[in-house]
Amino acid sequence: MDHVDIAGFLVPHPERPPRPVPVDWPAVEKWLGLTLPDDYKRLADTYGPVDFGEYLWIHVPCVEEKWFDYGDWLRDTHRSSRIEARAHPEGRGPAVHPDPGGLLAWGCTRGGDILFWDVSASADPNAWTVVVRHGGSGRRRGLEQWHRYDLTLTQYLRHTVRDTWELPSPPGPLLGPLPGSAARTAFLETAAPWTPPEPTAPRLTDAERRIALETGTGLDALRLLSPPPEAPYLGGGTWEALFAELGTRLPSEYVTLMERYGAGCWSTWLRFLTPLRTGERRFLHHVEETVNAYRSLKEDFPEWHPLGMWPEPGGFLPFANSIDGDEIGWLTEGDDPDAWPLIVWPRHADQGQPWGGGLIDTLLAWQRGTFATEGLAGLDEDDDPVESAGFEAWTDQAYW
């Protein structure tokens, strides 16, 4: 097995044959701070991004607009794995890149497994062995969360397409057996070469950072932490028309925030609906869609859905949602919208209590990583709030 060649057991897919994408390996390795294994570089140079065995994606340095960026994939994969490792039931799990000697990801599976090299296994990258972080399917098969193999990448792939064992015994719980097919990854059909990002100066000075994260308050601090767009998108209507359609004004703090930022997505997770859109999918349409869904669930599971729904007195009136299906809104208690408490209808947690603060202060605390509640995603302890915070403005009717 020491000199196994991937070409000896890999067959190009007849309908989606693999194709290479040019890679500037010196630039990639400089960016990583690591020299990569030769078999991986040969695989990438020969086949490009590969859907291997119809189950395993081998990711190489490339980029596909809106779908994949090698650097972003590594960052996000390492972040989620670092969080998983910290929550390991038997103590902290393995270190993850860019920690010294940390695991470096090279692929993933349709079952939610992540495949890494153990960078600490050897000073020679060609001797790096495979570590698998098993996802849902692996755990359902009774596998431990992290499993180490005394196999290099090519040796590991060879064993996934095994017919017979070439070692005295199986080298641990393996995928497969898989077909030895290699197809161009479907979502990377038009992948282009990836260029490592250039180092950039800090976005904020030390003084600005203190204001954004510690001493600043309200909209001024929020604007430092998450710069607003030059032209916020609200839609083509007016506030007066929206209030007339709803039969109520909305909190003035919400109007102030929206007129500065407009509709968009905060930190790639929290989406504020377009308030003044006209036509079929206007603000009221989304409100009614959400409250009707809640009422339907409440009929079947009333113990888990205690909220009243707008336009009932004190009912829940949503104005934002998360990419995970959480809904954020107000409890419309009383005649003064500025006194309405904020609350989240969480998608994956029990219903909690109303939040104590106003919208801008709550949003600022969430972006800083100092506000945590059930149903609202928070920062990890290793995240930099300045790097994690952000606002992506929507610019046309294609968005909510």
Side-chain angles (χ1 to χ4, degrees):
M1 285 295 296
D2 288 346
H3 303 291
V4 65
D5 184 351
I6 194 171
F9 59 87
L10 183 150
V11 179
H13 193 283
E15 297 177 3
R16 290 191 290 118
R19 311 189 303 279
V21 176
V23 178
D24 183 345
W25 291 113
V28 170
E29 292 173 329
K30 179 180 179 182
W31 179 78
L32 287 169
L34 294 167
T35 300
L36 294 170
D38 290 336
D39 61 348
Y40 171 74
K41 290 188 282 190
R42 284 195 301 269
L43 184 152
D45 288 339
T46 305
Y47 301 104
V50 169
D51 182 349
F52 181 85
E54 302 176 5
Y55 188 74
L56 191 161
W57 289 297
I58 302 173
H59 289 311
V60 305
C62 66
V63 62
E64 176 88 18
E65 186 177 3
K66 296 183 179 180
W67 292 108
F68 182 82
D69 178 285
Y70 175 73
D72 290 345
W73 176 75
L74 280 182
R75 181 198 63 208
D76 295 343
T77 300
H78 291 158
R79 178 183 184 273
S80 65
S81 298
R82 191 176 300 111
I83 294 171
E84 286 277 355
R86 191 182 300 117
H88 196 280
E90 298 180 0
R92 192 179 184 104
V96 181
H97 188 79
D99 291 345
L103 303 179
L104 179 67
W106 56 265
C108 57
T109 75
R110 285 174 167 81
D113 312 295
I114 307 296
L115 300 107
F116 302 85
W117 287 293
D118 183 358
V119 174
S120 67
S122 173
D124 178 6
N126 295 316
W128 289 350
T129 51
V130 170
V131 176
V132 179
R133 170 192 151 198
H134 288 294
S137 63
R139 296 186 199 181
R140 285 193 294 272
R141 298 198 306 272
L143 303 181
E144 61 185 85
Q145 182 182 13
W146 300 87
H147 194 93
R148 296 177 179 274
Y149 298 87
D150 189 23
L151 300 169
T152 64
L153 179 148
T154 299
Q155 291 170 345
Y156 181 88
L157 295 179
R158 173 65 185 91
H159 275 293
T160 69
V161 299
R162 61 197 176 273
D163 294 319
T164 59
W165 295 111
E166 300 178 22
L167 297 176
S169 61
L174 286 168
L175 303 173
L178 304 176
S181 65
R184 181 60 174 266
T185 302
F187 59 87
L188 299 177
E189 180 60 31
T190 59
W194 179 76
T195 302
E198 293 290 337
T200 57
R203 181 170 63 84
L204 301 179
T205 66
D206 290 344
E208 290 172 332
R209 185 181 177 90
R210 283 193 295 273
I211 294 171
L213 297 181
E214 300 172 19
T215 63
T217 60
L219 198 57
D220 288 340
L222 187 62
R223 289 167 63 179
L224 269 179
L225 194 54
S226 300
E230 293 184 5
Y233 176 67
L234 297 172
T238 65
W239 290 110
E240 288 71 20
L242 174 63
F243 298 160
E245 186 172 42
L246 294 173
T248 179
R249 300 188 68 81
L250 297 179
S252 56
E253 190 176 26
Y254 167 75
V255 175
T256 298
L257 179 72
M258 296 305 294
E259 289 185 340
R260 191 66 192 90
Y261 282 89
C265 189
W266 294 83
S267 297
T268 69
W269 190 80
L270 181 59
R271 305 177 295 197
F272 274 59
L273 306 179
T274 308
L276 305 183
R277 170 177 289 169
T278 58
E280 181 181 355
R281 297 192 64 81
R282 59 197 186 279
F283 185 88
L284 179 60
H285 171 89
H286 290 289
V287 170
E288 292 176 337
E289 194 175 60
T290 301
V291 299
N292 289 338
Y294 190 95
R295 289 192 182 105
S296 178
L297 291 168
K298 188 171 185 174
E299 289 179 3
D300 296 328
F301 308 102
E303 68 277 16
W304 295 338
H305 298 84
L307 300 180
M309 286 289 109
W310 179 88
E312 301 169 20
F316 179 72
L317 174 59
F319 63 86
N321 57 35
S322 79
I323 62 173
D324 295 321
D326 311 283
E327 296 286 342
I328 292 86
W330 303 281
L331 295 180
T332 55
E333 300 172 347
D335 297 329
D336 180 8
D338 290 336
W340 290 349
L342 290 162
I343 195 169
V344 60
W345 166 28
R347 176 66 177 84
H348 300 100
D350 293 337
Q351 180 61 59
Q353 297 299 311
W355 302 340
L359 176 59
I360 291 175
D361 285 342
T362 299
L363 186 58
L364 174 61
W366 176 66
Q367 292 266 278
R368 285 173 166 173
T370 60
F371 178 80
T373 184
E374 290 293 336
L376 197 61
L379 295 179
D380 179 63
E381 64 182 52
D382 289 330
D383 291 338
D384 181 347
V386 173
E387 292 181 1
S388 301
F391 179 76
E392 178 189 1
W394 295 338
T395 57
D396 56 46
Q397 295 276 347
Y399 298 95
W400 289 1

